[in-house]
Amino acid sequence: MFSYDDYKEIITQIKATGLNTTYQKALNRERFIIMRHDVEFSVSRAYALSRIEDNLDFTANYFFQWTNNSYNILSRRNMDMIKDMQERGHHIGLHFALNGLTDLKLIRKQIIKEMNILSEMFGFEINQFSIHRPGQSILQANIKFPGIINAYQDDFFTYSENTAAESQLKIKYLSDSNHIWRYGYPDEKTLNNHNKIQVLTHPFAWTKKGYDNFDNYKTLVQEKYIEMIDSIDNECKDFRDYKDHFLTDCTTNS
């Protein structure tokens, strides 16, 4: 259910409806489908997913974290990938991590601050955000700014305390969080039975083979392991004597 072939089928079904659009354009439409990606652990996997979308003539919304222990959004490699995605028509936004903040005034201030920093660093405007793991109080707050899109504002998301797959909401929300489609699956029937839909995926969950949750995390750790080895190799000449040994360990333990 989480292979690239599965994802291609989802995109094909969305395209068949003719309803895929941007957040900005959705504001003035009675029917829409918005594809959103919150990038948690891997810019590389997000980039790979965007390439699949390119091949299907499809664009989506990618939200990246400014404060993240798993990837550095401002590394040259990651910046190059994100800039390339933006140049190919994908929409880039901030995936805002609360990091313990609870005061709404401070949260609003920090969101704008991080968006401004990323806009300056990337050289193009960041004018949309999604919030990482928003609690009920954040969702109920319905945070809005002039000229800025919040993926959870009430134009694109209907708040409900006990949402389930069968819930009848103004806006249908589909998410693959924790490797489970908790509120329904974006198949042909679901996509055609709702006027307004937001689909959320997490790119790290999707691979060519399509693993279960455990094996997916295992392959992700291996990718990060190799990425770390390459980073050390680029910085430390004496590491090259040991590189093959580390790579062999990684392969042996996989």
Side-chain angles (χ1 to χ4, degrees):
M1 189 175 289
F2 287 91
S3 71
Y4 286 162
D5 284 342
D6 294 326
Y7 186 70
K8 291 175 185 177
E9 179 60 25
I10 290 173
I11 295 304
T12 299
Q13 295 294 342
I14 292 176
K15 285 196 65 179
T17 68
L19 298 176
N20 184 57
T21 189
T22 64
Y23 284 99
Q24 191 63 46
K25 291 180 180 179
L27 288 170
N28 300 313
R29 294 190 180 182
E30 293 299 320
R31 301 187 69 200
F32 62 73
I33 298 176
I34 298 171
M35 174 59 79
R36 163 180 151 214
H37 304 294
D38 285 352
V39 183
E40 311 289 19
F41 299 115
S42 173
V43 175
S44 297
R45 288 197 177 186
Y47 186 79
L49 213 58
S50 76
R51 281 297 188 184
I52 291 172
E53 291 168 340
D54 291 345
N55 290 334
L56 296 172
D57 192 26
F58 187 89
T59 57
N61 302 273
Y62 286 83
F63 294 83
F64 295 90
Q65 289 189 24
W66 165 246
T67 56
N68 185 296
N69 287 330
S70 299
Y71 63 82
N72 174 10
I73 193 176
L74 297 183
S75 72
R76 179 176 178 180
R77 181 171 178 270
N78 286 339
M79 287 188 73
D80 285 347
M81 285 191 286
I82 294 171
K83 286 181 178 180
D84 184 57
M85 292 166 67
Q86 192 267 343
E87 289 171 358
R88 288 186 279 111
H90 299 285
H91 302 274
I92 307 301
L94 167 70
H95 189 33
F96 178 73
L98 292 163
N99 291 322
L101 285 179
T102 57
D103 184 281
L104 279 173
K105 184 178 180 180
L106 293 178
I107 290 171
R108 293 171 65 90
K109 182 178 180 180
Q110 188 65 22
I111 290 172
I112 295 299
K113 180 180 179 180
E114 293 187 14
M115 292 179 71
N116 287 339
I117 291 172
L118 292 181
S119 294
E120 181 176 352
M121 293 301 296
F122 279 97
F124 56 80
E125 184 181 14
I126 303 292
N127 59 8
Q128 56 188 38
F129 69 94
S130 67
I131 298 176
H132 179 55
R133 295 183 178 176
Q136 290 187 8
S137 62
I138 298 298
L139 294 175
Q140 288 176 315
N142 192 29
I143 299 172
K144 291 185 178 181
F145 301 97
I148 293 175
I149 295 295
N150 172 10
Y152 284 111
Q153 68 189 59
D154 57 7
D155 300 285
F156 317 113
F157 179 83
T158 301
Y159 172 73
S160 174
E161 290 187 7
N162 299 299
T163 304
E166 63 275 10
S167 298
Q168 297 298 314
L169 303 175
K170 180 180 178 182
I171 301 170
K172 183 66 174 176
Y173 183 70
L174 304 171
S175 171
D176 69 352
S177 295
N178 297 320
H179 232 63
I180 301 171
W181 290 95
R182 297 185 184 277
Y183 313 117
Y185 187 78
D187 55 17
E188 181 180 6
K189 180 179 179 181
T190 301
L191 295 174
N192 285 289
N193 281 353
H194 301 273
N195 289 330
K196 297 183 177 182
I197 302 173
Q198 180 173 183
V199 182
L200 167 62
T201 82
H202 299 81
F204 82 91
W206 298 82
T207 57
K208 183 176 181 180
K209 293 185 177 180
Y211 299 101
D212 62 23
N213 205 18
F214 176 79
D215 285 336
N216 182 63
Y217 279 122
K218 187 176 178 180
T219 60
L220 181 65
V221 169
Q222 290 169 357
E223 289 172 16
K224 290 295 181 178
Y225 184 96
I226 294 172
E227 184 178 322
M228 183 65 174
I229 289 174
D230 287 340
S231 295
I232 296 174
D233 187 41
N234 289 331
E235 293 291 335
C236 306
K237 293 181 180 180
D238 59 344
F239 179 76
R240 293 168 188 173
D241 296 332
Y242 313 109
K243 181 178 179 180
D244 289 343
H245 172 74
F246 281 100
L247 288 173
T248 299
D249 283 351
C250 179
T251 304
T252 302
N253 294 326
S254 64

